[in-house]
Amino acid sequence: EPEVTQTPSHQVTQMGQEVILRCVPISNHLYFYWYRQILGQKVEFLVSFYNNEISEKSEIFDDQFSVERPDGSNFTLKIRSTKLEDSAMYFCASSEQGRTEAFFGQGTRLTVV
Amino acid sequence: AQSVSQHNHHVILSEAASLELGCNYSYGGTVNLFWYVQYPGQHLQLLLKYFSGDPLVKGIKGFEAEFIKSKFSFNLRKPSVQWSDTAEYFCAVIFSGGYNKLIFGAGTRLAVHP
């Protein structure tokens, strides 16, 4: 069964460092997403990406965040200068169409120290 | 504001007990509704979805959910739970005007004891 894969599964970084979280969405999917879950809180939407551009982003997704689909298979989330409050589980997801179910990866646990 | 509420944060049941997890959403427009499950150490998986039609939808592993438009609810049910149903359950909604983003409830941790 096709699945969304994310790497790394865990990332520890120092405050102020840049991190790149990587995702390989399901190959025939057209919509890509990043969500995050801070420990003990809800899963929150960060950004959606369609047709090589951001289609929607949340208030969380400020100038420190960026997304890219560099090579037609990978989908990356970059945090330019990490803060302690960026520590969370980051989930990548993809969907075949809009407004339909998203398929999630296993997540990357980011710890900022 | 668009929001999703799950009433129970932790539920503990014995095997063979019936399960009902509540989910309410805030908005009266057109919605697409989902229940996801996350088993320990695994990714979020879709249990079932509702877009339109019969408000009683059946999903995988014997789960079902009922959409009640007048109550803005989409409760998840299973007549007889098993130990393997131990997991966290998330209700999620795509609101009209919300483009494609899922708005999640806080999740319900279900523990089923043998």
Side-chain angles (χ1 to χ4, degrees), chain A residues 25-27 29 32 49 52 67-76:
Chain A
I26 294 172
S27 61
H29 285 187
F32 314 114
F49 192 85
N52 283 319
V67 289
E68 195 176 37
R69 189 155 162 79
D71 57 11
S73 61
N74 291 284
F75 179 53
T76 61

Side-chain angles (χ1 to χ4, degrees), chain A residues 35 42 56 98-99 101-102, chain B residues 32 36 49 95 99-100 102:
Chain A
Y35 291 81
K42 289 186 178 185
E56 190 176 9
R99 297 190 62 79
E101 67 268 29
Chain B
N32 288 358
Y36 282 86
K49 63 186 179 185
F95 292 90
Y99 211 62
N100 299 314
L102 289 159

